[in-house]
Amino acid sequence: MIHHISIAVQNPHHVAQVLSEILKAQAVPFFPNPGSYMVLPFDEYGTGIELYPLGSQIEPGDGDEECVFVRTAITSKFTDIHAAISVPISQAEIEQIGVREGWRVVRCNRDSFFEVIEFWIENRLMIELLIPEMALQYLKFATRSENLKYFVAELPVATS
C-alpha cells in the first residue's frame, strides 16, 4: 500500500487547493521543504500527496543523517512519475475542475482491463483519477493474480 507520494509542480499551493477539492481533503504547508504543501484526506490509510516546488530534489544525507531537500534549476516539462488515485467525486466534477484550470482531462481505457481519467496537473504531470465505479473495476483487475499474470507472462523469472 502506498501511503503518500510526492510530486514537483510549478505552483504547489494552487495544485494543493485543486487536489484538495478533488479528494475532499485539506491542504496544509509541508514545512520540511519550504514552499511545499501536503494534501490530506484524513482517511484510514494515512493518504497524503506532497507537492514540492518544481526543481526540488530529495538527496541522501551524509552518513547516518536523513535525506535533505535541494533545489535545482534542471527540470523537464514532463515526468515519468504518475499515480492512480481513487476519488470520491464524479467524472463531471473532475471535468469541470479541469476546464476551470485549463488542464487536460480525458477518460481512457487501459487495454480493456480498467478505465481511468487522465488528469494533467498544470498540463505537465498526469495522475490517473478513479471515480468510484472505476476504482471497483481497477480493484477487480489488480487484486486477482490471474489478471496480473498477463504482465509477467513474458518476463524472465528472477533467480538468486
Side-chain angles (χ1 to χ4, degrees), residues 72-156:
T72 178
I74 301 170
T75 61
S76 173
K77 178 173 172 126
F78 298 105
T79 180
D80 56 347
I81 297 169
H82 81 280
I85 303 172
S86 295
V87 297
I89 65 174
S90 69
Q91 179 174 340
E93 291 171 292
I94 293 168
E95 289 170 343
Q96 288 172 347
I97 293 167
V99 167
R100 181 190 73 211
E101 298 301 322
W103 298 349
R104 177 181 164 84
V105 176
V106 61
R107 186 175 181 138
C108 298
N109 185 304
R110 298 294 193 233
D111 295 324
S112 298
F113 295 117
F114 53 88
E115 292 182 294
V116 301
I117 298 171
E118 288 186 1
F119 187 80
W120 285 84
I121 296 171
E122 299 177 332
N123 290 317
R124 61 171 297 279
L125 179 113
M126 186 266 297
I127 59 173
E128 296 169 325
L129 299 180
L130 294 103
I131 58 177
E133 56 268 26
M134 289 176 179
L136 291 173
Q137 197 179 50
Y138 177 83
L139 289 172
K140 184 177 178 182
F141 170 77
T143 59
R144 295 203 173 123
S145 60
E146 64 271 13
N147 293 337
L148 296 179
K149 288 179 183 174
Y150 167 83
F151 292 102
V152 298
E154 299 299 319
L155 298 175

